Amino acid sequence: MKTKYKILTFSLVFAFALGLSSCSEDFLQTVPTDSVSTDIALGSTDNMMLAINGIHRTLYAQNPDIVRFYAGQEYMIPAADFGASDALHSATGNGWFRSFIQWNSHTQATSNDVLYPWWFYYNVIGSANNIINAAADLQESEDLNNILGQAYTYRAWAHFNLVRFFAKPYMVGNPSSDPGVPIMLATEPPYEGLARNTVKEVYDQITADLGTAISHFANASDRPNISHLNVDVAKGVAARVYLTIGDWANAAKYAREARQGYTLMDEAEYKSGFNSVDNPEWMWGSKMITDQTAYFWSYFYYTSNNFNGSQNRSNPKFMNHQLYDMMSETDYRRDLILKDCPSTFDDWNKGENAGRYASEEEYEAAIDEYRVIVNNGSSHNMVPYLHIKLSQSDGPTISPMDVLHMRAAEMYLIEAEAQARQNKNTEAQNVLFELVSERDAGYTKSTKTGQALVDEILVQRRIELFLEGHRRFDMLRNDEELDLTNSGANPDLYLGGFKQAKPSENDDWLFQIPQREIDANPNMVQN
């Protein structure tokens, strides 16, 4: 695995250098950021915290040495939604994600769409490993426990993402024998290529790391801000993991514990754009710094309704029409999907506009009306079912918006689903009602049980977590087929991504192992 180990060797310096933005001026003057020794970088808890800050930064940092135009988790969140079923593209746009939604890029070993997540998540793991393995030389303290809690959580989180993208789903395949991804724990030589661990072995390591993280957080100092991880985030990741492997009791337990102390958004907060870590429901998010923006490679560039970039202007994203129809008319989340928005791709009486307007003047008036609602510019295209969930707070600009990684509503949904799958119907109904009644004044507590209740919860997941990076993984773990018939998607745009058989019958759901890894590592096998 020579290629990967070059990446991992680089990861400490990369993460540490990124973390320097929060250190003192004296340190910046005396330590060169391009030649940091391990002894200096990890010789104290202060410097370890700089390395942790560097990992936080990688979640939204570009790296021109790997794939210049991808920026950490800002790229991977839409990658987990596009090419699934709910957040849809309206046009070819400038080409971003076009091959991905057509199911071409992730099935090609030479594609950047498989190289980048492999590098990105192993880079996070390498940086976390450097911190974990150096900690034995330091005296225990609350700050060190904070650092180790974060490092173990990051290592678990990154392995979790890798095994979900590059291996068969735990509950669909045979986890004890299906090839997963290599478990990376060491930071010292010999640097030899490793074989793929089984899916079960990877998940066993993930759950062990999360248990260790939670133990460290029990005696840790407080996190300074929401960009850092804490015990709530560790438990939130654990809830995701246990849901994925079907350990319903632990999924419910950790989801319930993780969400304590967080307030569900009210209607005004829900409609404010999902762009600020000051939101009381957010558990973990990247606080963006103005001079560290990813510009046209940011999450909002790919997904927002009014970011001032060519991807948004030429390819507005809309909601699957069938999913929209599943929302109650009293559900205020429905207001974020503009069903009756005019299409600016068509003439006033053609295409999606046919039969809707009595005259061209009426059509132009509708465009003006919706420009105000969408808060975009005259060069932005619009389409029916356009979403306005993710918005630039200052209108059609390229200002950096904060990036959401975890919030309390997801924990309610995990707990509800896990309870329902244990046939604890009353508990599941109560948790679901607590969440959905906040979004929908007309919602009454569900009386469904068994699979019908699970199905209702899964629909609420699709609505609530729209464009937050969960849909692909939900389809994988629930063995769902992809069928965009009646969704509003253009089959000529989506091509192979319009219909795909369910994961248990179709290995194309798996990301290919990057060819660079195959070439460098004789122990690696391809999907």
Side-chain angles (χ1 to χ4, degrees):
M1 200 175 301
K2 297 176 184 177
T3 301
K4 182 186 296 178
Y5 270 104
K6 289 179 182 177
I7 290 172
L8 296 182
T9 303
F10 168 71
S11 65
L12 169 63
V13 176
F14 179 57
F16 185 72
L18 288 172
L20 288 175
S21 61
S22 62
C23 63
S24 69
E25 183 178 350
D26 291 341
F27 194 86
L28 284 170
Q29 291 174 342
T30 57
V31 179
T33 63
D34 59 350
S35 57
V36 183
S37 73
T38 303
D39 289 342
I40 294 175
L42 300 177
S44 69
T45 53
D46 286 343
N47 287 352
M48 276 188 169
M49 186 58 76
L50 294 178
I52 285 288
N53 286 337
I55 300 178
H56 301 326
R57 178 71 176 87
T58 65
L59 268 61
Y60 60 97
Q62 296 166 253
N63 187 327
D65 293 329
I66 304 298
V67 182
R68 176 187 175 190
F69 302 113
Y70 296 5
Q73 195 65 2
E74 291 204 81
Y75 189 84
M76 297 314 302
I77 295 172
D81 266 320
F82 298 157
S85 67
D86 291 344
L88 302 176
H89 289 221
S90 58
T92 57
N94 61 3
W96 276 111
F97 280 106
R98 181 183 180 186
S99 179
F100 191 86
I101 68 170
Q102 294 174 342
W103 279 53
N104 287 328
S105 60
H106 79 272
T107 59
Q108 301 295 322
T110 56
S111 167
N112 284 336
D113 282 327
V114 299
L115 173 63
Y116 185 74
W118 189 266
W119 170 82
F120 168 58
Y121 291 119
Y122 273 118
N123 185 71
V124 171
I125 291 168
S127 297
N129 283 340
N130 281 311
I131 295 167
I132 291 168
N133 295 334
D137 298 328
L138 299 180
Q139 184 175 357
E140 182 178 358
S141 67
E142 289 186 349
D143 286 343
L144 183 59
N145 278 322
N146 182 330
I147 291 164
L148 287 174
Q150 296 195 68
Y152 275 103
T153 303
Y154 267 126
R155 189 166 78 179
W157 173 80
H159 276 114
F160 180 46
N161 282 298
L162 283 164
V163 76
R164 290 193 294 175
F165 277 117
F166 291 97
K168 288 185 177 181
Y170 193 97
M171 293 191 293
V172 172
N174 184 351
S176 62
S177 59
D178 288 337
V181 295
I183 298 172
M184 305 296 292
L185 305 178
T187 52
E188 72 281 351
Y191 299 137
E192 299 176 351
L194 297 180
R196 298 170 70 174
N197 292 88
T198 68
V199 169
K200 185 177 187 305
E201 288 171 338
V202 177
Y203 275 98
D204 286 346
Q205 183 64 50
I206 291 168
T207 55
D209 277 350
L210 290 169
T212 303
I214 291 168
S215 295
H216 279 294
F217 279 130
N219 299 294
S221 54
D222 294 335
R223 63 175 172 179
N225 57 63
I226 199 172
S227 293
H228 286 241
L229 315 184
N230 67 358
V231 68
D232 304 328
V233 176
K235 289 179 177 180
V237 175
R240 291 175 177 174
V241 170
Y242 286 118
L243 186 75
T244 302
I245 65 176
D247 184 340
W248 312 125
N250 273 319
K253 171 184 181 297
Y254 283 109
R256 181 171 56 255
E257 292 178 1
R259 65 179 173 85
Q260 299 306 310
Y262 297 90
T263 304
L264 288 173
M265 286 181 266
D266 60 26
E267 182 173 355
E269 290 165 334
Y270 201 95
K271 294 180 176 180
S272 64
F274 281 75
N275 54 32
S276 174
V277 296
D278 294 330
N279 189 302
E281 192 179 305
W282 286 27
M283 300 167 60
W284 175 28
S286 290
K287 174 63 177 176
M288 300 298 290
I289 301 171
T290 301
D291 63 358
Q292 293 182 2
T293 178
Y295 294 105
F296 300 104
W297 303 279
S298 73
Y299 171 51
F300 275 73
Y301 174 64
Y302 302 123
T303 60
S304 171
N305 52 277
N306 65 340
F307 187 98
N308 196 20
S310 58
Q311 173 61 213
N312 302 80
R313 294 192 301 264
S314 61
N315 179 17
K317 311 307 184 296
F318 67 95
M319 178 181 274
N320 184 318
H321 298 181
Q322 292 179 311
L323 179 58
Y324 176 86
D325 289 340
M326 295 178 190
M327 285 192 281
S328 163
E329 292 186 1
T330 55
D331 189 333
Y332 65 65
R333 294 172 297 188
R334 191 181 176 102
D335 298 340
L336 298 182
I337 309 300
L338 306 181
K339 176 183 177 181
D340 297 324
C341 186
S343 171
T344 56
F345 289 111
D346 301 311
D347 292 334
W348 70 271
N349 59 351
K350 295 180 180 179
E352 292 186 286
N353 296 321
R356 297 178 59 194
Y357 303 101
S359 65
E360 187 170 1
E361 290 75 19
E362 183 178 318
Y363 165 68
E364 294 293 342
I367 289 177
D368 292 341
E369 175 188 352
Y370 275 91
R371 287 256 180 253
V372 175
I373 298 171
V374 181
N375 193 18
N376 63 11
S378 60
S379 60
H380 283 77
N381 279 296
M382 298 186 295
V383 290
Y385 295 88
L386 175 71
H387 88 86
I388 55 172
K389 178 176 179 177
L390 300 162
S391 297
Q392 294 291 113
S393 61
D394 53 356
T397 68
I398 62 171
S399 302
M401 299 288 106
D402 298 342
V403 181
L404 170 66
H405 302 305
M406 183 181 293
R407 62 187 177 95
E410 180 196 351
M411 299 299 115
Y412 281 85
L413 290 161
I414 291 175
E415 182 182 354
E417 181 183 343
Q419 298 287 29
R421 290 190 185 274
Q422 297 177 84
N423 292 316
K424 295 183 178 180
N425 297 308
T426 300
E427 292 89 337
Q429 293 161 358
N430 289 340
V431 175
L432 184 63
F433 179 77
E434 192 173 351
L435 170 66
V436 181
S437 62
E438 178 60 46
R439 311 297 190 224
D440 181 357
Y443 181 75
T444 57
K445 187 181 295 186
S446 179
T447 58
K448 296 177 182 177
T449 61
Q451 187 59 46
L453 178 56
V454 171
D455 291 343
E456 180 180 354
I457 295 165
L458 292 176
V459 169
Q460 289 297 330
R461 274 187 68 91
R462 292 174 66 181
I463 297 168
E464 179 70 24
L465 303 179
F466 175 75
L467 262 176
E468 296 180 35
H470 299 277
R471 182 58 185 149
R472 180 185 187 87
F473 301 134
D474 282 347
M475 296 183 77
L476 284 165
R477 69 183 179 87
N478 290 305
D479 199 24
E480 297 181 43
E481 69 173 354
L482 174 63
D483 187 351
L484 297 182
T485 303
N486 299 320
S487 68
N490 182 349
D492 293 330
L493 171 61
Y494 272 80
L495 299 179
F498 196 81
K499 281 189 178 183
Q500 289 286 333
K502 59 187 180 180
S504 62
E505 302 171 354
N506 179 11
D507 286 342
D508 279 351
W509 284 89
L510 305 182
F511 276 43
Q512 292 286 288
I513 305 297
Q515 191 61 45
R516 285 173 59 176
E517 181 68 34
I518 297 292
D519 293 342
N521 178 8
N523 294 316
M524 181 58 59
V525 295
Q526 184 59 275
N527 280 324

